[in-house]
mmCIF file of all heavy atoms in Angstrom:
data_model
loop_
_atom_site.group_PDB
_atom_site.id
_atom_site.type_symbol
_atom_site.label_atom_id
_atom_site.label_comp_id
_atom_site.label_asym_id
_atom_site.label_seq_id
_atom_site.Cartn_x
_atom_site.Cartn_y
_atom_site.Cartn_z
ATOM 1 N N ASP C 189 105.678 114.874 107.240
ATOM 2 C CA ASP C 189 107.087 115.168 107.259
ATOM 3 C C ASP C 189 107.849 114.118 106.361
ATOM 4 O O ASP C 189 108.758 114.484 105.645
ATOM 5 C CB ASP C 189 107.592 115.070 108.725
ATOM 6 C CG ASP C 189 109.101 115.317 108.814
ATOM 7 O OD1 ASP C 189 109.571 116.432 108.492
ATOM 8 O OD2 ASP C 189 109.789 114.372 109.201
ATOM 9 N N ALA C 190 107.466 112.872 106.518
ATOM 10 C CA ALA C 190 108.101 111.805 105.738
ATOM 11 C C ALA C 190 107.845 112.008 104.219
ATOM 12 O O ALA C 190 108.753 111.838 103.405
ATOM 13 C CB ALA C 190 107.592 110.416 106.131
ATOM 14 N N ILE C 191 106.649 112.421 103.841
ATOM 15 C CA ILE C 191 106.335 112.715 102.416
ATOM 16 C C ILE C 191 107.171 113.822 101.942
ATOM 17 O O ILE C 191 107.839 113.706 100.823
ATOM 18 C CB ILE C 191 104.857 112.966 102.245
ATOM 19 C CG1 ILE C 191 103.984 111.825 102.540
ATOM 20 C CG2 ILE C 191 104.563 113.523 100.804
ATOM 21 C CD1 ILE C 191 102.445 112.125 102.550
ATOM 22 N N LEU C 192 107.291 114.895 102.687
ATOM 23 C CA LEU C 192 108.080 116.058 102.261
ATOM 24 C C LEU C 192 109.539 115.687 102.071
ATOM 25 O O LEU C 192 110.256 116.265 101.266
ATOM 26 C CB LEU C 192 107.903 117.233 103.285
ATOM 27 C CG LEU C 192 106.481 117.838 103.313
ATOM 28 C CD1 LEU C 192 106.393 118.801 104.506
ATOM 29 C CD2 LEU C 192 106.216 118.582 102.023
ATOM 30 N N ARG C 193 110.047 114.697 102.846
ATOM 31 C CA ARG C 193 111.419 114.301 102.769
ATOM 32 C C ARG C 193 111.623 113.237 101.722
ATOM 33 O O ARG C 193 112.729 112.698 101.552
ATOM 34 C CB ARG C 193 111.917 113.845 104.101
ATOM 35 C CG ARG C 193 112.060 114.972 105.155
ATOM 36 C CD ARG C 193 112.676 114.521 106.442
ATOM 37 N NE ARG C 193 111.858 113.601 107.204
ATOM 38 C CZ ARG C 193 112.149 112.327 107.427
ATOM 39 N NH1 ARG C 193 113.294 111.839 106.967
ATOM 40 N NH2 ARG C 193 111.351 111.571 108.129
ATOM 41 N N GLY C 194 110.523 112.886 101.033
ATOM 42 C CA GLY C 194 110.619 111.869 99.947
ATOM 43 C C GLY C 194 110.770 110.435 100.454
ATOM 44 O O GLY C 194 111.264 109.553 99.743
ATOM 45 N N LYS C 195 110.388 110.187 101.722
ATOM 46 C CA LYS C 195 110.508 108.852 102.313
ATOM 47 C C LYS C 195 109.264 107.998 101.986
ATOM 48 O O LYS C 195 108.540 107.522 102.839
ATOM 49 C CB LYS C 195 110.695 108.960 103.814
ATOM 50 C CG LYS C 195 111.928 109.785 104.194
ATOM 51 C CD LYS C 195 113.253 109.123 103.751
ATOM 52 C CE LYS C 195 114.445 109.834 104.235
ATOM 53 N NZ LYS C 195 115.650 109.167 103.839
ATOM 54 N N THR C 196 108.960 107.867 100.706
ATOM 55 C CA THR C 196 107.749 107.199 100.245
ATOM 56 C C THR C 196 107.999 106.200 99.087
ATOM 57 O O THR C 196 108.970 106.467 98.304
ATOM 58 C CB THR C 196 106.647 108.233 99.776
ATOM 59 O OG1 THR C 196 107.245 109.001 98.723
ATOM 60 C CG2 THR C 196 106.254 109.130 100.924
ATOM 61 N N ILE C 197 107.137 105.241 98.938
ATOM 62 C CA ILE C 197 107.174 104.349 97.760
ATOM 63 C C ILE C 197 105.761 104.192 97.297
ATOM 64 O O ILE C 197 104.890 103.655 97.934
ATOM 65 C CB ILE C 197 107.823 102.996 98.082
ATOM 66 C CG1 ILE C 197 109.220 103.110 98.706
ATOM 67 C CG2 ILE C 197 107.805 102.097 96.837
ATOM 68 C CD1 ILE C 197 109.767 101.777 99.235
ATOM 69 N N PRO C 198 105.439 104.643 96.008
ATOM 70 C CA PRO C 198 104.122 104.458 95.454
ATOM 71 C C PRO C 198 103.944 103.016 95.036
ATOM 72 O O PRO C 198 104.875 102.436 94.434
ATOM 73 C CB PRO C 198 104.107 105.411 94.246
ATOM 74 C CG PRO C 198 105.378 106.178 94.323
ATOM 75 C CD PRO C 198 106.336 105.416 95.117
ATOM 76 N N CYS C 199 102.834 102.392 95.354
ATOM 77 C CA CYS C 199 102.600 100.979 95.114
ATOM 78 C C CYS C 199 101.178 100.730 94.671
ATOM 79 O O CYS C 199 100.334 101.637 94.812
ATOM 80 C CB CYS C 199 102.865 100.139 96.346
ATOM 81 S SG CYS C 199 104.523 100.262 97.048
ATOM 82 N N GLY C 200 100.864 99.496 94.235
ATOM 83 C CA GLY C 200 99.541 99.093 93.961
ATOM 84 C C GLY C 200 99.276 98.334 92.713
ATOM 85 O O GLY C 200 100.236 97.958 92.008
ATOM 86 N N GLU C 201 98.008 98.037 92.491
ATOM 87 C CA GLU C 201 97.596 97.327 91.241
ATOM 88 C C GLU C 201 96.569 98.139 90.532
ATOM 89 O O GLU C 201 95.796 98.924 91.145
ATOM 90 C CB GLU C 201 96.981 95.931 91.663
ATOM 91 C CG GLU C 201 97.965 94.990 92.365
ATOM 92 C CD GLU C 201 97.302 93.711 92.772
ATOM 93 O OE1 GLU C 201 96.133 93.529 92.410
ATOM 94 O OE2 GLU C 201 98.020 92.927 93.390
ATOM 95 N N LYS C 202 96.497 97.989 89.233
ATOM 96 C CA LYS C 202 95.552 98.736 88.426
ATOM 97 C C LYS C 202 94.130 98.296 88.730
ATOM 98 O O LYS C 202 93.888 97.135 89.001
ATOM 99 C CB LYS C 202 95.876 98.484 86.915
ATOM 100 C CG LYS C 202 97.210 98.986 86.443
ATOM 101 C CD LYS C 202 97.370 98.616 84.993
ATOM 102 C CE LYS C 202 98.797 99.021 84.543
ATOM 103 N NZ LYS C 202 99.030 98.534 83.180
ATOM 104 N N THR C 203 93.228 99.267 88.630
ATOM 105 C CA THR C 203 91.821 98.977 88.756
ATOM 106 C C THR C 203 91.399 98.113 87.546
ATOM 107 O O THR C 203 91.832 98.488 86.425
ATOM 108 C CB THR C 203 90.983 100.267 88.785
ATOM 109 O OG1 THR C 203 91.383 100.973 89.931
ATOM 110 C CG2 THR C 203 89.438 99.994 88.854
ATOM 111 N N PRO C 204 90.651 97.082 87.658
ATOM 112 C CA PRO C 204 90.189 96.266 86.473
ATOM 113 C C PRO C 204 89.501 97.219 85.480
ATOM 114 O O PRO C 204 88.663 98.099 85.868
ATOM 115 C CB PRO C 204 89.218 95.262 87.098
ATOM 116 C CG PRO C 204 89.736 95.081 88.497
ATOM 117 C CD PRO C 204 90.208 96.462 88.948
ATOM 118 N N LYS C 205 89.804 96.964 84.183
ATOM 119 C CA LYS C 205 89.272 97.826 83.119
ATOM 120 C C LYS C 205 87.736 97.860 83.156
ATOM 121 O O LYS C 205 87.164 98.905 82.854
ATOM 122 C CB LYS C 205 89.756 97.327 81.793
ATOM 123 C CG LYS C 205 91.232 97.542 81.521
ATOM 124 C CD LYS C 205 91.637 97.061 80.101
ATOM 125 C CE LYS C 205 93.133 97.305 79.839
ATOM 126 N NZ LYS C 205 93.499 96.822 78.541
ATOM 127 N N ALA C 206 87.128 96.767 83.433
ATOM 128 C CA ALA C 206 85.599 96.713 83.401
ATOM 129 C C ALA C 206 85.056 97.713 84.466
ATOM 130 O O ALA C 206 84.040 98.390 84.152
ATOM 131 C CB ALA C 206 85.125 95.344 83.702
ATOM 132 N N ILE C 207 85.735 97.851 85.574
ATOM 133 C CA ILE C 207 85.209 98.785 86.563
ATOM 134 C C ILE C 207 85.420 100.207 86.157
ATOM 135 O O ILE C 207 84.580 101.044 86.345
ATOM 136 C CB ILE C 207 85.876 98.486 87.987
ATOM 137 C CG1 ILE C 207 85.503 97.101 88.461
ATOM 138 C CG2 ILE C 207 85.485 99.598 88.959
ATOM 139 C CD1 ILE C 207 86.151 96.747 89.792
ATOM 140 N N VAL C 208 86.598 100.522 85.597
ATOM 141 C CA VAL C 208 86.862 101.878 85.108
ATOM 142 C C VAL C 208 85.834 102.272 84.008
ATOM 143 O O VAL C 208 85.269 103.363 84.090
ATOM 144 C CB VAL C 208 88.264 101.967 84.525
ATOM 145 C CG1 VAL C 208 88.531 103.375 83.922
ATOM 146 C CG2 VAL C 208 89.299 101.695 85.650
ATOM 147 N N ILE C 209 85.586 101.348 83.062
ATOM 148 C CA ILE C 209 84.704 101.634 81.993
ATOM 149 C C ILE C 209 83.271 101.857 82.567
ATOM 150 O O ILE C 209 82.567 102.769 82.136
ATOM 151 C CB ILE C 209 84.681 100.505 80.912
ATOM 152 C CG1 ILE C 209 86.021 100.497 80.217
ATOM 153 C CG2 ILE C 209 83.525 100.644 79.936
ATOM 154 C CD1 ILE C 209 86.264 99.250 79.400
ATOM 155 N N SER C 210 82.902 101.013 83.482
ATOM 156 C CA SER C 210 81.528 101.194 84.105
ATOM 157 C C SER C 210 81.362 102.531 84.778
ATOM 158 O O SER C 210 80.358 103.190 84.693
ATOM 159 C CB SER C 210 81.312 100.076 85.113
ATOM 160 O OG SER C 210 80.114 100.257 85.831
ATOM 161 N N GLN C 211 82.430 102.980 85.508
ATOM 162 C CA GLN C 211 82.392 104.298 86.181
ATOM 163 C C GLN C 211 82.327 105.443 85.152
ATOM 164 O O GLN C 211 81.621 106.429 85.433
ATOM 165 C CB GLN C 211 83.603 104.450 87.158
ATOM 166 C CG GLN C 211 83.479 103.468 88.333
ATOM 167 C CD GLN C 211 84.595 103.655 89.298
ATOM 168 O OE1 GLN C 211 85.654 104.122 88.952
ATOM 169 N NE2 GLN C 211 84.440 103.151 90.485
ATOM 170 N N VAL C 212 83.102 105.301 84.103
ATOM 171 C CA VAL C 212 83.071 106.341 83.096
ATOM 172 C C VAL C 212 81.652 106.444 82.504
ATOM 173 O O VAL C 212 81.108 107.583 82.274
ATOM 174 C CB VAL C 212 84.031 105.986 81.947
ATOM 175 C CG1 VAL C 212 83.843 106.933 80.734
ATOM 176 C CG2 VAL C 212 85.475 106.176 82.429
ATOM 177 N N LYS C 213 81.014 105.362 82.188
ATOM 178 C CA LYS C 213 79.633 105.352 81.657
ATOM 179 C C LYS C 213 78.653 106.027 82.639
ATOM 180 O O LYS C 213 77.829 106.838 82.271
ATOM 181 C CB LYS C 213 79.171 103.952 81.408
ATOM 182 C CG LYS C 213 79.795 103.311 80.181
ATOM 183 C CD LYS C 213 79.283 101.898 79.947
ATOM 184 C CE LYS C 213 79.877 101.262 78.723
ATOM 185 N NZ LYS C 213 79.435 99.855 78.482
ATOM 186 N N LYS C 214 78.807 105.704 83.936
ATOM 187 C CA LYS C 214 77.932 106.346 84.977
ATOM 188 C C LYS C 214 78.132 107.859 84.980
ATOM 189 O O LYS C 214 77.199 108.583 85.123
ATOM 190 C CB LYS C 214 78.262 105.728 86.360
ATOM 191 C CG LYS C 214 77.687 104.312 86.490
ATOM 192 C CD LYS C 214 78.004 103.838 87.949
ATOM 193 C CE LYS C 214 77.443 102.436 88.129
ATOM 194 N NZ LYS C 214 77.775 101.886 89.484
ATOM 195 N N ASN C 215 79.411 108.295 84.899
ATOM 196 C CA ASN C 215 79.658 109.694 84.848
ATOM 197 C C ASN C 215 79.081 110.418 83.636
ATOM 198 O O ASN C 215 78.547 111.564 83.717
ATOM 199 C CB ASN C 215 81.169 109.999 84.932
ATOM 200 C CG ASN C 215 81.708 109.737 86.319
ATOM 201 O OD1 ASN C 215 81.029 109.810 87.331
ATOM 202 N ND2 ASN C 215 82.989 109.417 86.358
ATOM 203 N N VAL C 216 79.089 109.734 82.487
ATOM 204 C CA VAL C 216 78.505 110.329 81.263
ATOM 205 C C VAL C 216 76.975 110.466 81.447
ATOM 206 O O VAL C 216 76.439 111.488 81.115
ATOM 207 C CB VAL C 216 78.850 109.424 80.042
ATOM 208 C CG1 VAL C 216 77.978 109.878 78.841
ATOM 209 C CG2 VAL C 216 80.343 109.480 79.714
ATOM 210 N N VAL C 217 76.345 109.495 81.988
ATOM 211 C CA VAL C 217 74.890 109.551 82.266
ATOM 212 C C VAL C 217 74.622 110.629 83.278
ATOM 213 O O VAL C 217 73.638 111.401 83.062
ATOM 214 C CB VAL C 217 74.368 108.175 82.747
ATOM 215 C CG1 VAL C 217 72.952 108.309 83.205
ATOM 216 C CG2 VAL C 217 74.498 107.158 81.639
ATOM 217 N N ARG C 218 75.359 110.769 84.329
ATOM 218 C CA ARG C 218 75.129 111.777 85.326
ATOM 219 C C ARG C 218 75.269 113.133 84.799
ATOM 220 O O ARG C 218 74.401 113.997 85.025
ATOM 221 C CB ARG C 218 76.181 111.542 86.461
ATOM 222 C CG ARG C 218 76.069 112.634 87.558
ATOM 223 C CD ARG C 218 77.194 112.393 88.634
ATOM 224 N NE ARG C 218 78.498 112.467 88.040
ATOM 225 C CZ ARG C 218 79.159 113.658 87.800
ATOM 226 N NH1 ARG C 218 78.568 114.784 88.077
ATOM 227 N NH2 ARG C 218 80.327 113.617 87.263
ATOM 228 N N ARG C 219 76.294 113.345 83.957
ATOM 229 C CA ARG C 219 76.463 114.680 83.335
ATOM 230 C C ARG C 219 75.377 115.005 82.323
ATOM 231 O O ARG C 219 74.901 116.156 82.323
ATOM 232 C CB ARG C 219 77.831 114.753 82.641
ATOM 233 C CG ARG C 219 78.990 114.799 83.589
ATOM 234 C CD ARG C 219 80.332 114.617 82.906
ATOM 235 N NE ARG C 219 81.426 114.513 83.851
ATOM 236 C CZ ARG C 219 82.537 113.882 83.536
ATOM 237 N NH1 ARG C 219 82.753 113.352 82.373
ATOM 238 N NH2 ARG C 219 83.504 113.810 84.424
ATOM 239 N N ALA C 220 74.882 114.028 81.612
ATOM 240 C CA ALA C 220 73.796 114.236 80.698
ATOM 241 C C ALA C 220 72.526 114.594 81.410
ATOM 242 O O ALA C 220 71.809 115.490 80.984
ATOM 243 C CB ALA C 220 73.586 112.938 79.836
ATOM 244 N N ASN C 221 72.251 113.938 82.552
ATOM 245 C CA ASN C 221 71.072 114.258 83.266
ATOM 246 C C ASN C 221 71.119 115.668 83.899
ATOM 247 O O ASN C 221 70.121 116.340 83.978
ATOM 248 C CB ASN C 221 70.910 113.209 84.479
ATOM 249 C CG ASN C 221 70.499 111.870 83.983
ATOM 250 O OD1 ASN C 221 69.823 111.739 82.886
ATOM 251 N ND2 ASN C 221 70.767 110.859 84.728
ATOM 252 N N LEU C 222 72.357 116.079 84.344
ATOM 253 C CA LEU C 222 72.488 117.439 84.796
ATOM 254 C C LEU C 222 72.180 118.523 83.765
ATOM 255 O O LEU C 222 71.554 119.483 83.963
ATOM 256 C CB LEU C 222 73.921 117.619 85.386
ATOM 257 C CG LEU C 222 74.244 116.942 86.719
ATOM 258 C CD1 LEU C 222 75.702 117.087 87.080
ATOM 259 C CD2 LEU C 222 73.369 117.443 87.830
#
Side-chain angles (χ1 to χ4, degrees):
D189 179 65
I191 293 172
L192 291 170
R193 291 186 293 113
K195 301 296 184 179
T196 58
I197 303 173
C199 302
E201 299 179 2
K202 295 175 186 175
T203 299
K205 289 182 180 179
I207 294 178
V208 174
I209 292 169
S210 173
Q211 290 181 341
V212 169
K213 287 180 178 178
K214 286 181 180 179
N215 284 336
V216 170
V217 171
R218 178 183 58 81
R219 288 169 186 157
N221 288 334
L222 287 173

